[in-house]
Structures are given as C-alpha cells and as structure tokens.
Amino acid sequence: MKRSDLLVAGMPNPTVTRWCGVRGRWQRILPGVVLGHRGTPTTEERRRAALVYAGPAARISGQHALALHGALTAPLPPDAPVLVVVPQARHRTSADFCIVERSERDPGHLVRRGLPVTSPARACADAVRGHDLSADDVRELMSSVLRNDRCTLRQLQREVLSGPTQRSGPARVALGELGAGVRSSAEAKALQIVGASDLPQPEWNQPVVVNGVLLGEADAYWRELGVVLEIDSMLWHLGPRALRRTQAKARRYAAAGLTLITIAPADLLADPRGFLETLRAALAVAASRRIS
C-alpha cells in the first residue's frame, strides 16, 4: 500500500514511521510503499509493490511478465528484479528491486493473474536487453518464448527492432539466427566448404525420393551413399507442431536406411572446420556400409 494512502486514511505520520521501523510490524518495501508484515516479501508482493511504486499506468515487463504469461521453462530466482514500463511522461526512477523504464511505445493492456503486463513479444524484447544476460542467455530466452508459442517471430522482430538500441546487440544477432537470413548464409558457406574439399560432391537442394516416396527436402544429398545434410535454423524447430514434423521426417529417413546429418547455421558458421570433419567421418562410415 502507499504510505500516502495511509496518511489520507487518518493514520498519523509518526505511527506509520514507527510501524515501519526496525521493531515495527510493517516494512518499507520501496520508497513510499509499505508492506503490511515483516519478513521476506513474496514474488507476488514484490510485483504488486513495483506497480504501486511506478504508478497506475505501469505494466510489468521483462522476465516477470514472461513468467506470468507462462513462457519461461525455469522458475525465476526469488530476487529477480521486477521491470516495469511506464509512459514517457511519467518521471519515476528505479529503486531497489524495481527497474523503471520510460517508453513512448504503447505497452499494451493485458492482464495476467490480476496484474497488468506487456505482451509476450514486448516482455521478451525488454528482457533480452538485461545487463546480466550473456549471448547464450539471450538466445535461450528468445527460443523459449517462441517454442512455447507465446508470440511469432515477426512479433518478436518488431519489438526488438523498434525498441531501444542500447544493449540490443545480442538480441539482434539472435534474431538473425532464428530467421532465414543466417540459414541462407550457412547454406552458401556449406556449399563453399564442401565444394573446395576432396569429399564426394552432393546434389544441392534436392527432394529425397526413395522407392517413389518423397521423404523430405535436403540441403545436400549424397544419393549413392544414402546421406542427407540439413541445415536447420532454430526457427524450424520452434513449437510442438514444427518439432513433430522434424521428428517424423527423421524417422522416414531412418526407415529408408538413410543417414541424416543436421547442423544449426550458427554452429556451421562458427566452426566450419569442425563441420567438414563431421561430414567427412559420416560419409566414410556410409561408404564402408555400402561396400560391406
């Protein structure tokens, strides 16, 4: 509750001060915000206190909003800061566990578990600009939101690219990895690597047909050796339907006796030599099986 509300209700200022003191029955949880008990505040109490502190137009965003949307795969630490978004005209600074961000963009008007929150895409875009997130943390968080079907890649792109540029570098890189742009670059790199090697050359971007049945589309197909290469962007595995399609295709390849090699675009671009050696070993094993 607000300290000012207590005073308006008729409680004397010295009484409020005494009750919020070291030996009092209440505590000051944020500037001007009183919690009606001693002890460690719950996550719910911290969220509500942040909203009271930031004002009636505030919206919870970042990881707390994602948790309220059910978009996180792991629980938040109990001391995770609460990020709230307020209108640009609202002059309120961050305090203690409450991080206040002023924004000219409309944060939306969603409510989850009785609390006003930003959209999943906005919450994710705000979360991945956090100071303590590594590039891997950013990738995992964005992938988690998309895998859980809480927003589309297009919505996430719009929020990241229209938001502040400060600390947004890792998120912008991850967007490229999630989209088709990096996949296309990785395909071109794979063609270059394989073309310059002494490996047998595959057919590129070919349908895989066995006994008249179309099994899938291959980025590279060694027909004589029965080896298929697919460069799979994370985008194509996000969401349960996409994952089931990928698994079904892998089962079709296996049932037809084909060897499937998959690699993420980011991994191929980061370690082309490792990709070539993996490919060489797989083709050697396939060739030995054909001979025997």
Side-chain angles (χ1 to χ4, degrees), residues 56-222:
R59 300 285 183 272
I60 295 175
S61 193
Q63 294 201 52
H64 277 272
L66 291 176
L68 290 167
H69 281 296
L72 297 182
T73 56
L76 278 175
D79 60 347
V82 180
L83 172 65
V84 290
V85 177
V86 300
Q88 186 69 29
R90 172 68 169 164
H91 295 284
R92 179 66 87 187
T93 59
S94 299
D96 197 7
F97 60 83
C98 178
I99 300 175
V100 180
E101 287 195 358
R102 296 160 62 198
S103 176
E104 295 179 346
R105 296 182 295 137
D106 183 3
H109 303 279
L110 298 175
V111 175
R112 294 292 181 270
R113 302 183 201 171
L115 300 175
V117 296
T118 60
S119 69
R122 175 65 182 272
C124 185
D126 287 341
V128 295
R129 288 187 289 105
H131 293 281
D132 299 329
L133 293 180
S134 66
D136 285 342
D137 291 334
V138 169
R139 292 188 192 96
E140 181 58 33
L141 185 58
M142 294 173 73
S143 298
S144 173
V145 173
L146 293 171
R147 278 198 305 269
N148 284 296
D149 292 329
R150 291 304 187 269
C151 69
T152 66
L153 180 61
R154 187 179 299 276
Q155 290 169 332
L156 185 54
Q157 286 173 329
R158 184 167 57 247
E159 290 293 346
V160 170
L161 298 179
S162 64
T165 57
Q166 185 180 16
R167 306 191 312 276
S168 68
R172 292 168 185 261
V173 171
L175 281 177
E177 294 174 356
L178 290 165
V182 167
R183 187 176 189 274
S184 299
S185 298
E187 287 180 351
K189 185 65 174 178
L191 192 152
Q192 177 187 359
I193 293 170
V194 176
S197 73
D198 58 351
L199 296 177
Q201 295 301 299
E203 303 168 45
W204 293 92
N205 298 308
Q206 291 292 315
V208 179
V209 179
V210 176
N211 297 326
V213 178
L214 176 64
L215 304 181
E217 299 285 334
D219 293 317
Y221 183 26
W222 286 264

Side-chain angles (χ1 to χ4, degrees), residues 251-264:
R251 290 195 295 270
R252 293 195 298 271
Y253 285 152
L258 302 179
T259 299
L260 172 62
I261 304 169
T262 61
I263 186 168

Side-chain angles (χ1 to χ4, degrees), residues 262-283:
T262 61
I263 186 168
D267 293 338
L268 190 154
L269 295 172
D271 186 15
R273 179 175 297 180
F275 161 70
L276 180 61
E277 293 309 311
T278 297
L279 192 55
R280 186 185 302 279
L283 292 174

